[in-house]
Amino acid sequence: MDEVRTRFAPSPTGFMHIGNLRTCLYAYLYAKKAGGKFILRIEDTDQGRLVEGAVDVIYRTLEKAGIEHDEGPDKDGGVGPYVQSERKNIYLEYAKQLIDIGGAYYCFCTKDRLDTLTGDGGIKKYDKHCLKLSKEEIDAKLQAGEPYVIRQNIPTEGVSEYDDLVYGHIAVPNADMEDNILIKSDGMPTYNFANVVDDHLMNITHVIRGMEYLSSTPKYNLMYDAFGWQRPTYIHLPPIMKDAQRKLSKRYGDANFEDFLAKGYLPEAIVNYIALLGWSPKGNEEKLSMAQLKEQFGVDGLSKSPSIFDEPKMRWLNGEYIKAMTPEEFTAVALPYYEISDIKGMFDYDKLSKLLIPRTEILSEIPDKINFLAHFDRFDVSMFEHKKMKITVPLALEILQDVLPIFEAQSDWTDEALKNALSAYAETRSVKSGQVFLPVRLAITAAAVTPGGATEIAELLGKEESIRRLKLSLDWLTDSQSKQL
Ligand code: GLU
């Protein structure tokens, strides 16, 4: 069997839609699973839509996503060029061949004439007017430099059919298809032609793309057949939806890969999540690395029903990736968030990471979670009252007075050691451990809600700072008590 060759063929629009990235990922996984090649091709024939820097977005995305192409514009060798605008002459040459074999024709119709066309049900359809031109008429017009396009010559009768690996048997009556433009008046090909020529010349064996091309594929097959080329195998993918009615779109601000990175998602978690949007592995495992995806991916797991993009689910999965990180790994990705938070430079970042790893789903939550550490302001003592745990302000005060010498005597200032010391104290004092840990946490943070418990935060603050804060809290609590007397 031929080597499997798949391709990703993005148009450089300036951003990477999550749906396109999924197509790219599946094409990559399919090739890699089969030990084949994955090719990157830039489809930039729509010169009016070119966006500065858009090709860089494509490279950046592939790199961040961990998807490596074997051939492409930036690689040596292969069957390039891999940028369509650099292949203009190739398309023209093949379009002329297609004309010679009756699969296409020159069309000189003016816009005014096209505007007068009417079709069934008000849908305009080209009427093959120029197909009737004689060879002499065509030559004369070409010689006179009349602007032209080249159109595909679709049979008016019969049915075109093929089998898609996801959608099954597709049959489209030829009469329903239009003689689309293959070469535009500026000499550039349209997608309708370029995809066929390129997929053939690049030896693509499996075409994996969005289902919006499902019903135009018969047209492309007519060209493969006319040229006598082997048709590729087709794998069309269902759309990714925002909800039952709406597709994920740039307009709703929920479709762009780089926006998710900016929100604090890890690229590997995004890739893992989108791999599951339309494909299910055989097992129940949801957290799958790229290596596992490459091993497990297969067409039989693909679904033809649209999948709904569930951001909370992706957030959860991101949290799972974070939980699997070492403090050092987490610090590396969290650093920009530490640096914009109020604690910038105040703590040992790896220790801070230890506190955050079990409690963070996406990185952008970080500043809100840690800003409290930078502030220590006089509190309202009622914060210490806790009915359910039977903590009153006087009890908290007593306990904290006992804790101060314990803290001062403590030489091993780690979460573990501090936990042991406070638990031992709770036991001797015959109080519940929560009756010790809660007041201590409040006393060293001055914040009602914090990520992390008393001793974790104490470790992070360090001995000196923890004692300084505890003493201040003792003063404020004592002060409030004496005022009450
Ligand atoms: N440039 C097309 C797109 O971005 C590619 C479709 C295909 O993969 O054939 O939709």
Side-chain angles (χ1 to χ4, degrees), residues 7-11 20 23 41 43 191 195 199 207-210 212-213:
R7 84 310 191 263
F8 177 49
S11 303
N20 285 346
T23 302
R41 177 170 81 224
E43 302 211 324
Y191 169 79
N195 90 85
D199 285 340
V207 167
I208 302 178
R209 64 183 164 210
E212 59 274 25
Y213 299 100

Side-chain angles (χ1 to χ4, degrees), residues 39-55:
I39 289 106
L40 174 67
R41 177 170 81 224
I42 305 293
E43 302 211 324
D44 61 346
T45 54
D46 195 348
Q47 298 284 308
R49 280 176 56 207
L50 291 192
V51 179
E52 174 97 8
V55 175

Side-chain angles (χ1 to χ4, degrees), residues 329-341:
E329 284 165 347
F330 185 80
T331 302
V333 293
L335 194 62
Y337 297 92
Y338 288 163
E339 299 281 293
I340 56 162
S341 78

